[in-house]
Amino acid sequence: VVSMYVCVSVCIYVYLAKVDPASSYPSSPQKGDPEKCKEQFGVDVYPMSELEEKIPKGCRIAILTISNDVQQTVDRLVACGIQGIVDFTHQHFKAPKGVDIKFIDVVSSIQELVFQTNSMDSKT
């Protein structure tokens, strides 16, 4: 499992947290896993420690999928100029006024689709 956030700009940049091999959760968002910090599938991947240095100018939207240090990461993103966050974390965090948050619940979305597709089957 890779914990990451993606900043949407002209290019997509992925920042990885260090993943503890004994766990599926990152142990520190400050240190990147050097094996994963390279170009993958045409996307540049950087360690979290390089966030402020590498975030593209004009980047306004971040996709947040981390599981540890969510508030700290949000604070860093906002300090870099992020104005909108798509949140997959399911964790509580605060953002300043003027930063829009879109909470995504994949499980609920799947449940809705199952209900809708089952309803379509019963109508045919």
Side-chain angles (χ1 to χ4, degrees):
V1 175
V2 173
S3 295
M4 67 176 183
Y5 70 86
V6 177
C7 291
V8 178
S9 184
V10 174
C11 300
I12 297 175
Y13 291 79
V14 177
Y15 296 82
L16 295 175
K18 181 179 177 189
V19 177
D20 179 356
S23 160
S24 62
Y25 297 102
S27 57
S28 168
Q30 301 303 317
K31 299 177 182 173
D33 181 345
E35 295 297 315
K36 292 188 171 104
C37 292
K38 58 186 176 188
E39 184 179 315
Q40 295 188 30
F41 306 105
V43 177
D44 293 321
V45 179
Y46 300 102
M48 287 289 288
S49 60
E50 296 180 13
L51 169 65
E52 288 80 4
E53 176 185 328
K54 298 284 187 177
I55 195 166
K57 296 251 188 279
C59 183
R60 298 178 316 188
I61 299 170
I63 301 170
L64 196 62
T65 65
I66 61 175
S67 55
N68 286 350
D69 299 320
V70 174
Q71 185 64 58
Q72 177 187 2
T73 302
V74 168
D75 294 343
R76 290 176 68 196
L77 289 167
V78 169
C80 289
I82 294 298
Q83 299 170 339
I85 297 173
V86 180
D87 175 36
F88 286 87
T89 68
H90 303 289
Q91 295 195 21
H92 178 74
F93 61 86
K94 296 179 182 181
K97 197 175 213 174
V99 175
D100 291 322
I101 311 294
K102 176 68 175 166
F103 300 98
I104 305 297
D105 185 347
V106 175
V107 173
S108 292
S109 295
I110 292 169
Q111 289 173 336
E112 288 174 24
L113 283 173
V114 167
F115 177 78
Q116 289 171 346
T117 56
N118 286 345
S119 295
M120 287 189 292
D121 285 345
S122 65
K123 292 178 183 178
T124 56

